[in-house]
């Protein structure tokens, strides 16, 4: 993921912030992103992620004493989850817009040394009602409220992935080739060992098919969203399902898909001039007279 972000930003040439979940709150991810620099030597990518519950960080090392021996690299060790109680009086209150609504949260912003990279990271301890969690950001100049707001955007991303996976079946592709090296739990797919041109062509075609399938699924999802935003009254008027609670005047992608499927099914022969009609009809198996069973 981090390598993909570096490759993308190197092509774009613009600064960005990537938002990741706690799985990526590890030193190697931060180290990889540190290497993405512009012509002036400034970082192109910063990361906002949720810290693991057992995260620890360190205060600045004490001043040199002048005594013999190696000076300390780190100060006191802090288990950040304990600070929700130990520093409860230092939390600040702020109102930010989350998921389209104004919400009041309390937070504590600390710049501490994170041992996996040996540098300071901005930690934001957030208390949202009964929930409390810790966010990390590699940019120590980014405001705590902006870090919280940036992480809240992950909710939209998760919903999009849910639609792509469960509604559109974008990740249900079945393209493969036997020449592709097998991937196990302890090894990776090393394509550099493939020298045969025929095998390379098959792998390239397979990869292109997978990417095309997923891209078409993303495009189809976008079309459903456009229809939902622009024709929501028509969609609700033709929707035959039942919803226990209607929370928005804008129908979901699932509702739009249901209406389109129903309309297309009942008006299939009205689309005789469309390419999809010709493709479907070309796959139709026409029974022959000899193959039909005779009935008395």
């Amino acid at each position: 993921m981090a390598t993909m972000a570096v490759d993308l930003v190197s092509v774009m040439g613009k600064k960005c912030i990537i938002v990741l979940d706690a799985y990526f709150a590890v030193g190697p991810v931060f180290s990889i992103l540190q290497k993405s620099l512009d012509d002036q030597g400034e970082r192109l990518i910063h990361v906002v992620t949720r810290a693991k519950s057992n995260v620890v960080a360190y205060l600045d090392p004490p001043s040199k004493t002048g005594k013999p021996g190696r000076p300390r690299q780190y100060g006191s060790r802090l288990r950040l989850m304990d600070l929700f109680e130990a520093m409860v009086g230092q939390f600040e209150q702020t109102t930010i817009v989350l998921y389209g609504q104004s919400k009041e949260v309390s937070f504590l912003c600390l710049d501490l040394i994170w041992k996996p990279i040996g540098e300071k990271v901005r930690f934001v301890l957030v208390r949202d009602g009964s929930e409390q969690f810790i966010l990390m950001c590699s940019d120590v100049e980014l405001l705590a409220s902006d870090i919280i707001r940036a992480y809240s955007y992950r909710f939209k991303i998760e919903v999009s992935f849910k639609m792509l996976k469960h509604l559109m079946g974008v990740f249900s592709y079945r393209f493969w080739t036997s020449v592709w090296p097998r991937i196990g739990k302890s090894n990776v797919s090393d394509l550099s060992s493939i020298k045969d041109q025929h095998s390379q062509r098959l792998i390239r075609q397979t990869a292109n098919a997978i990417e095309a399938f997923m891209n078409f699924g993303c495009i189809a999802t976008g079309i459903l969203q456009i229809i939902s935003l622009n024709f929501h009254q028509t969609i609700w008027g033709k929707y035959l399902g039942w919803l226990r609670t209607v929370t928005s005047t804008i129908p979901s992608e699932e509702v739009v898909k249901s209406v389109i499927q129903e309309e297309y099914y009942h008006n299939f022969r009205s689309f005789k001039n469309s390419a999809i009609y010709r493709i479907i009809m070309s796959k139709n198996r026409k029974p022959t007279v000899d193959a039909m069973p005779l009935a008395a």
Side-chain angles (χ1 to χ4, degrees), residues 78-264:
L78 301 176
R79 187 177 184 276
L80 297 188
M81 287 300 293
D82 296 339
L83 301 184
F84 281 99
E85 298 297 333
M87 304 181 69
V88 63
Q90 300 184 34
F91 276 71
E92 302 177 39
Q93 299 287 332
T94 185
T95 301
I96 59 177
V97 178
L98 293 177
Y99 316 134
Q101 297 180 348
S102 296
K103 196 170 189 179
E104 187 170 307
V105 298
S106 58
F107 69 91
L108 176 64
C109 184
L110 299 170
D111 294 338
L112 302 171
I113 301 175
W114 192 41
K115 205 169 186 178
I117 60 174
E119 294 182 3
K120 280 193 174 182
V121 171
R122 175 152 289 186
F123 292 92
V124 182
L125 285 68
V126 183
R127 180 179 283 117
D128 181 10
S130 60
E131 184 181 6
Q132 55 188 31
F133 54 90
I134 303 171
L135 301 179
M136 302 171 59
C137 180
S138 59
D139 186 358
V140 294
E141 297 182 358
L142 192 63
L143 296 177
S145 57
D146 291 336
I147 294 174
I148 299 171
R149 186 178 297 107
Y151 189 77
S152 71
Y153 294 152
R154 284 199 68 254
F155 178 77
K156 297 180 180 180
I157 300 173
E158 294 295 337
V159 173
S160 297
F161 272 112
K162 180 181 178 181
M163 290 295 106
L164 292 173
K165 180 179 180 180
H166 298 289
L167 181 65
M168 307 302 294
V170 170
F171 304 106
S172 300
Y173 52 82
R174 292 293 183 270
F175 306 108
W176 198 249
T177 173
S178 59
V179 300
W180 199 309
R182 293 185 177 275
I183 304 175
K185 293 183 178 180
S186 59
N187 65 309
V188 296
S189 182
D190 184 11
L191 301 181
S192 62
S193 60
I194 306 299
K195 304 298 182 182
D196 178 52
Q197 291 187 355
H198 176 69
S199 299
Q200 291 179 351
R201 180 176 60 82
L202 291 177
I203 292 175
R204 187 163 52 250
Q205 290 177 344
T206 302
N208 290 338
I210 293 173
E211 290 184 2
F213 184 86
M214 297 180 66
N215 285 331
F216 281 128
C218 294
I219 293 171
T221 304
I223 293 174
L224 293 180
Q225 294 171 350
I226 293 173
I227 294 174
S228 174
L229 292 171
N230 291 279
F231 304 100
H232 52 275
Q233 293 181 345
T234 303
I235 294 298
W236 283 125
K238 292 182 175 293
Y239 182 57
L240 301 178
W242 177 81
L243 298 177
R244 181 177 180 180
T245 304
V246 179
T247 58
S248 174
T249 58
I250 305 300
S252 66
E253 295 93 336
E254 188 171 2
V255 171
V256 178
K257 180 184 176 184
S258 173
V259 171
I260 292 177
Q261 285 179 325
E262 194 72 19
E263 288 293 309
Y264 199 86

Side-chain angles (χ1 to χ4, degrees), residues 281-289 291-292:
M281 293 305 295
S282 67
K283 306 295 182 182
N284 185 30
R285 296 180 180 178
K286 298 180 180 179
T288 61
V289 177
M292 294 181 64

